[in-house]
Amino acid sequence: MTGSRLAGWLLALPALLFTALFLAVPLGRTLAEGGLTLGVWRDPYFLGRLGWTLAQAGVTALAALLLGAPLAYLLSRYEVPGKALFLRLLLLPFVTPTLVAVLGLSALLGPQGWVTRLTGLDLSDTPALLVLGNLFFNLPVMIRLGYGGFSRVPPSLIGAARSLGAGATRAALDVALPLALPGLAAGAVLVFLYSALSFGLPLALGGERYATLEVEIYTLTALQLRLSEASALIAGQLLLTLVATWGYTHLTRGGVGVPAGGLPRARGGAAGALLALGAVTVLVCFAPLAAVVARGLLGSAGPTLAYWQGVLSSEDTPLLVWNTVRFGLMALLGAGILGGLYAWGAWLARSRALDVVSLLPLMVSPVSLAVGYLLAYPVLAATLPLLIAAYVLLALPLVIRSALPALRAVPPRLLEAARTLGAGGFTAHRTVTFPLVLPALRGGSALALATVLGEFGATLVLTRPEWATLSTGLYERLGRPGERNLGEACALATVLLLLSAAAFIMLDGGEGEVT
């Protein structure tokens, strides 16, 4: 092993030890516990939950593919005003806290929703609302990965097909689609995985009838104390995520697409399709956010500040905000240090194993992780370090997966030039590598912080009343009947949304690119 590779493994060691303690050990304990009660998989009830979990995730992935792939292709082939801003804004739903989306969808399509009042269409207690919620979060993922895949297709190939008589649609299907298929498939796999592991959406929108495996795991753990059966469900779910993650890593080996320059402006049918697909995307991804803000300002009798006054005058609001911010910053500090060192180490070591290990935390849902902690570390249950460790683990891959591609993109000749001018190894990295990687590191940190601020699954299992966050405060208000509680929940959700968006904008600064 060369000196640089050894240094890389040493730099990655702290994060490897952390992952072993707070991922491998809890998972091993969970699998050992679940191995004793695998009989749950012969229970028709749990098999039905598994079937529904796979079905709703599959429908979401198919819908995201059918809507996102054509839009991604058109964005990659035509010059569209505001395209760069649109692609960046698509990150906003991804960092939106789950319960904010729940409130937005309920404000639009729930029993008293605005669309329901206008059309009479009430989607509450139906699977359609859950699929729409999944699309809210995951359609941007499909579009961005599809855009990267289509951007790898040379425009000259499509031009050659057109010159041979193929129409625009035929050229797209015969030339662009096969070449971009790995990126599209990776997007579909990721959407399927995120939808299958979703917790807050099915808990709040699915009800008892449309509960997924994640909701069942939470119910068995937190409400019924049937940890063995919950562990068996987690073991089966982990097998599913292993297969999906393996597929995703193999499909994304092609790199990131580079947008072509000098693209023509969209006209005719292309312009109409762009407008129609873009409008549907905006409605799916941004209408719930606008509904949350508006619902906090509008009562049944018209505009009112009563909901905001109720939130601002509540004794628990300052505690909710303080806990949310301090827990998020503590997690960011841990994930930033561990993730930065790990990414640097993986780059130096050039190890495929380190690359794969960085994906492992993405394979385990927050609820499953929290159950593993309760089994592996019962003495630490209901302690703040365990909760922060869960946050750090969930944020860690977001930092690593943002910084590592940027490190690999640093031209080796720049470091060589710095060394020929007399700079040592550390100085060369400090003056050359770090400034080039900083935008990506900031982008990953922004995504990690915004995600942790709205984390709900692990918090609900591991928290104590004095550690309540904006997410748990939201969930509590959602459980109370009455228009005032819903209005105050929307006002509180607006605070959480603004907090997440501000954290993302301040850290990312519009420079980093997170994919």
Side-chain angles (χ1 to χ4, degrees):
M1 183 179 293
T2 63
S4 63
R5 292 193 173 185
L6 177 59
W9 279 94
L10 291 176
L11 287 170
L13 185 59
L16 287 173
L17 292 175
F18 183 85
T19 303
L21 284 174
F22 293 103
L23 181 63
V25 172
L27 271 185
R29 183 68 180 84
T30 299
L31 294 175
E33 185 78 17
L36 302 176
T37 51
L38 288 179
V40 298
W41 291 111
R42 293 192 293 269
D43 188 327
Y45 174 80
F46 291 117
L47 288 175
R49 294 306 190 200
L50 173 63
W52 165 241
T53 300
L54 299 178
Q56 59 92 26
V59 169
T60 301
L62 180 61
L65 186 63
L66 293 177
L67 178 59
L71 180 58
Y73 173 75
L74 293 171
L75 288 173
S76 71
R77 291 301 135 209
Y78 295 99
E79 186 59 46
V80 180
K83 176 168 64 175
L85 177 62
F86 175 72
L87 290 172
R88 285 202 64 78
L89 286 176
L90 283 178
L91 285 172
L92 185 58
F94 191 75
V95 300
T96 297
T98 303
L99 291 183
V100 176
V102 168
L103 280 170
L105 290 166
S106 299
L108 288 173
L109 298 164
Q112 301 299 320
W114 289 319
V115 175
T116 303
R117 292 175 182 176
L118 289 174
T119 65
L121 180 65
D122 182 3
L123 295 182
S124 60
D125 299 324
T126 69
L129 199 60
L130 178 56
V131 172
L132 282 174
N134 286 334
L135 280 175
F136 167 82
F137 285 108
N138 298 314
L139 180 58
V141 175
M142 185 72 248
I143 293 173
R144 289 174 64 87
L145 284 176
Y147 178 74
F150 282 120
S151 294
R152 287 195 291 271
V153 180
S156 58
L157 293 181
I158 299 176
R162 297 295 303 275
S163 67
L164 293 174
T169 303
R170 191 71 179 177
L173 293 176
D174 290 351
V175 178
L177 182 60
L179 294 174
L181 198 56
L184 295 173
V189 169
L190 206 57
V191 170
F192 178 87
L193 189 59
Y194 284 154
S195 301
L197 297 181
S198 176
F199 170 65
L201 285 175
L203 178 67
L205 297 177
E208 184 178 349
R209 183 177 180 184
Y210 299 110
T212 60
L213 278 183
E214 276 293 281
V215 177
E216 287 298 327
I217 291 169
Y218 168 72
T219 302
L220 291 172
T221 302
L223 305 182
Q224 300 178 11
L225 298 179
R226 295 158 62 184
L227 295 182
S228 296
E229 292 171 288
S231 299
L233 295 184
I234 292 172
Q237 186 173 258
L238 182 61
L239 179 62
L240 170 67
T241 57
L242 278 171
V243 173
T245 305
W246 177 86
Y248 174 74
T249 56
H250 280 71
L251 290 167
T252 53
R253 286 182 176 180
V256 179
V258 179
L263 296 175
R265 280 190 172 273
R267 291 183 174 85
L274 267 169
L275 185 62
L277 292 171
V280 173
T281 300
V282 168
L283 285 175
V284 170
C285 296
F286 299 105
L289 300 181
V292 168
V293 177
R295 187 65 179 80
L297 296 171
L298 297 175
S300 57
T304 178
L305 293 178
Y307 303 144
W308 275 96
Q309 291 170 351
V311 167
L312 295 177
S313 62
S314 175
E315 295 181 356
D316 65 342
T317 300
L319 177 64
L320 298 179
V321 174
W322 168 239
N323 284 340
T324 302
V325 172
R326 70 185 178 114
F327 294 169
L329 292 178
M330 291 164 68
L332 178 63
L333 179 63
I337 294 173
L338 292 175
L341 289 174
Y342 189 96
W344 191 9
W347 174 54
L348 291 176
R350 296 178 177 84
S351 169
R352 177 69 179 168
L354 288 178
D355 201 10
V356 172
V357 168
S358 69
L359 287 168
L360 294 181
L362 294 176
M363 296 166 50
V364 184
S365 70
V367 173
S368 301
L369 188 67
V371 173
Y373 285 177
L374 295 178
L375 290 170
Y377 305 116
V379 177
L380 296 177
T383 62
L384 188 57
L386 202 61
L387 179 62
I388 300 302
Y391 285 172
V392 171
L393 190 71
L394 295 172
L396 191 58
L398 300 175
V399 176
I400 296 172
R401 304 310 301 179
S402 297
L404 191 52
L407 282 165
R408 289 172 174 163
V410 174
R413 65 180 183 276
L414 294 182
L415 290 173
E416 294 171 2
R419 290 194 177 101
T420 59
L421 294 174
F426 177 78
T427 302
H429 286 302
R430 179 177 58 82
T431 57
V432 176
T433 306
F434 183 72
L436 292 175
V437 176
L438 183 59
L441 187 60
R442 289 177 61 188
S445 299
L447 186 60
L449 178 58
T451 302
V452 168
L453 288 176
E455 205 292 314
F456 178 60
T459 308
L460 198 60
V461 177
L462 297 175
T463 193
R464 289 166 55 175
E466 60 268 31
W467 301 337
T469 62
L470 285 169
S471 289
T472 55
L474 264 175
Y475 183 64
E476 182 183 352
R477 280 178 168 80
L478 280 174
R480 302 174 188 167
E483 180 183 347
R484 183 176 183 85
N485 284 315
L486 178 60
E488 289 187 1
C490 287
L492 205 59
T494 303
V495 174
L496 183 54
L497 176 62
L498 292 175
L499 193 62
S500 299
F504 184 80
I505 292 171
M506 284 189 296
L507 277 176
D508 184 59
E511 300 172 12
E513 188 68 19
V514 183
T515 57

